[in-house]
Amino acid sequence: PLRLILFPARPGQERTEQPPGSVLGSLDVLKVAAGEGTVVEVREVQPAGKRRMSAAELLRGRRPLPGDRLGPG
């Protein structure tokens, strides 16, 4: 599984019915379902053992796919 440290995120404009932690996908930011139908946009991440990078860099490489879940592994 892909392990990530997520850096400050901001609330997205959209809503979802996906469970919290579900990756919703995006090309330049990592959109993730949060509680009560909200969506957060993560702009910076740090994969385990790697350097801090923009979400866009991560998404160009090893892309979490829509439907993948973030959370305790």
Side-chain angles (χ1 to χ4, degrees), residues 7-73:
F7 290 93
R10 68 178 195 188
Q13 298 296 317
E14 59 201 90
R15 308 271 306 158
T16 185
E17 296 200 16
Q18 296 296 317
S22 296
V23 173
L24 304 175
S26 187
L27 296 175
D28 56 348
V29 297
L30 181 59
K31 294 184 180 182
V32 181
E36 299 180 16
T38 59
V39 173
V40 293
E41 296 179 352
V42 180
R43 299 197 174 276
E44 287 189 276
V45 299
Q46 184 173 354
K50 305 282 184 177
R51 66 175 176 81
R52 186 172 175 166
M53 64 180 69
S54 70
E57 289 178 275
L58 175 76
L59 293 168
R60 283 193 298 269
R62 185 173 190 272
R63 178 182 297 242
L65 300 173
D68 285 351
R69 294 283 307 273
L70 301 181

